[in-house]
Amino acid sequence: MISSKPDPATRSPVSPLALEMTGVVKRFAAFQALKGVDLNVERGERIVICGPSGSGKSTLIRCVNGLERHDSGRIVVDGIELTADLRHLAKVRTQTGMVFQSFNLFPHLTVLENVCLAPQWVKGMGRVEAEKAGLELLARVRIAEQAQKFPAQLSGGQQQRVAIARALAMSPKLMLFDEPTSALDPEMVKEVLDVMIELATGGMTMLVVTHEMAFARAVSNRVIFMDAGEIVEQGPPAQFFTAPKHERTRTFLKQILNH
C-alpha cells in the first residue's frame, strides 16, 4: 500500500512554531548531554540560552541543524522533522543559519566570496546576483568596505560579522548563535552584539547561546537556563533576572553577574 502522507521535507509548514523539540536525548558514549529536552520556539521569538560549561547549551543548538544527530525524541524545524533522511537534513540546513564561536571563514576566499559561496552552490544563484546580495548583507553588518579583503586582514569582530552575513545569505528562517562573542576581545564584543540586536529588532527568529546577560535583558523574549543536560528554568528576562525560581539559577546568576 502506497502512503499518501506528504514528505515532510517538501510540505508547507502550518505550525506557528519555528522550532519544536520534544523529549530530545543526545549521548556521547556514556555521557548524556541532553536529557529529554522539550522546547518550542515561535516565529519571531528571540531566545537566549545560558548555563554553566557542559550544561548542554551548544549541543542543543547543534542538534537543531543536524551538526549533532540526536539519539531520540523529535526535532521539527519550520515544519520539517529532522530524521535519518538526508533530504530532510539538507532542507533544514537551508532554513537555519549558524554562527559559531570560531568564525570558520575560508581563508583563501575574500570576504565577499565567503558570503556568496553558499547561495551560488546550494541555491544555484548566478555570480552577479550573489555578489549584489552579498554586498547588501555586508552593508547590513556594517562591513561593506572590507568586501575584497581576506579574513586574515580583518579583526576578530569583523570576521564574526562576516560570518553573520554568510549565515544570512541563505535567507534562513531561524538563526542559531553558539557563543558568538566568547572568542572576541572585549572591545570587539559590542560591534557584534549591535548587529545581533539589529537582526532581533528586525524580527529574525533567534536562538542564542551566550553569557552576555545585558544582551539577554535587552533583546530576548525568553531566557533559558540549562544545567546537566536539562532546561532548569525559563521565562521572560524581567522575571528571570529579578525573581528566578530555582536555586541553581540563582547561584549561576550570582556568579556570572558578579564576575
Side-chain angles (χ1 to χ4, degrees), residues 144-174:
E145 72 282 359
Q146 310 292 348
Q148 300 307 322
K149 290 186 178 179
F150 290 91
Q153 297 174 284
L154 273 57
S155 70
Q158 289 173 325
Q159 290 187 62
Q160 193 61 295
R161 283 187 279 160
V162 174
I164 293 172
R166 179 183 59 183
L168 291 171
M170 292 296 289
S171 302
K173 303 286 182 63
L174 172 64

Side-chain angles (χ1 to χ4, degrees), residues 15-22 39-43 45 47 49 60-61 63-65 74-80 82 92 96 174 176 205 207 222:
S15 170
L17 297 175
L19 170 66
E20 302 171 70
M21 302 182 76
T22 308
L39 175 63
N40 287 341
V41 180
E42 294 184 4
R43 300 183 194 280
E45 194 172 11
I47 293 178
I49 304 175
L60 186 150
I61 64 169
C63 284
V64 169
N65 70 346
R74 295 180 74 243
I75 299 176
V76 181
V77 180
D78 196 42
I80 304 158
L82 266 175
V92 164
T96 57
L174 172 64
L176 307 170
T205 310
L207 200 57
R222 187 169 17 138

Side-chain angles (χ1 to χ4, degrees), residues 18-215:
L19 170 66
E20 302 171 70
M21 302 182 76
T22 308
V24 175
V25 171
K26 173 63 184 176
R27 296 182 181 88
F28 296 99
F31 176 68
Q32 190 166 344
L34 298 177
K35 302 175 181 177
V37 170
D38 296 324
L39 175 63
N40 287 341
V41 180
E42 294 184 4
R43 300 183 194 280
E45 194 172 11
R46 304 176 297 275
I47 293 178
V48 164
I49 304 175
C50 60
S53 178
S55 60
K57 310 180 300 293
S58 293
T59 300
L60 186 150
I61 64 169
R62 289 174 68 86
C63 284
V64 169
N65 70 346
L67 286 173
E68 298 288 356
R69 185 174 173 184
H70 59 294
D71 295 303
S72 60
R74 295 180 74 243
I75 299 176
V76 181
V77 180
D78 196 42
I80 304 158
E81 183 171 359
L82 266 175
T83 68
D85 190 327
L86 294 180
R87 295 173 302 165
H88 296 197
L89 177 61
K91 185 70 174 176
V92 164
R93 286 185 174 166
T94 66
Q95 305 300 319
T96 57
M98 183 84 173
V99 179
F100 299 89
Q101 212 172 345
S102 54
F103 321 122
N104 293 342
L105 300 175
F106 292 108
H108 63 292
L109 300 180
T110 67
V111 163
L112 183 59
E113 288 169 340
N114 266 280
V115 174
C116 294
L117 189 64
Q120 289 180 273
W121 282 90
V122 179
K123 288 190 170 182
M125 191 180 289
R127 184 178 65 83
V128 173
E129 183 184 1
E131 288 185 354
K132 181 177 182 293
L135 287 170
E136 290 174 355
L137 285 171
L138 290 173
R140 186 175 176 185
V141 300
R142 309 174 192 173
I143 204 170
E145 72 282 359
Q146 310 292 348
Q148 300 307 322
K149 290 186 178 179
F150 290 91
Q153 297 174 284
L154 273 57
S155 70
Q158 289 173 325
Q159 290 187 62
Q160 193 61 295
R161 283 187 279 160
V162 174
I164 293 172
R166 179 183 59 183
L168 291 171
M170 292 296 289
S171 302
K173 303 286 182 63
L174 172 64
M175 281 288 285
L176 307 170
F177 294 86
D178 187 8
E179 301 197 31
T181 61
S182 63
L184 301 178
D185 293 333
E187 64 269 20
M188 297 177 186
V189 169
K190 184 178 183 300
E191 64 189 61
V192 173
L193 290 179
D194 284 346
V195 168
M196 292 172 64
I197 289 168
E198 286 189 11
L199 288 179
T201 55
M204 175 64 73
T205 310
M206 299 168 66
L207 200 57
V208 184
V209 172
T210 185
H211 290 311
E212 299 290 343
M213 294 297 99
F215 173 84

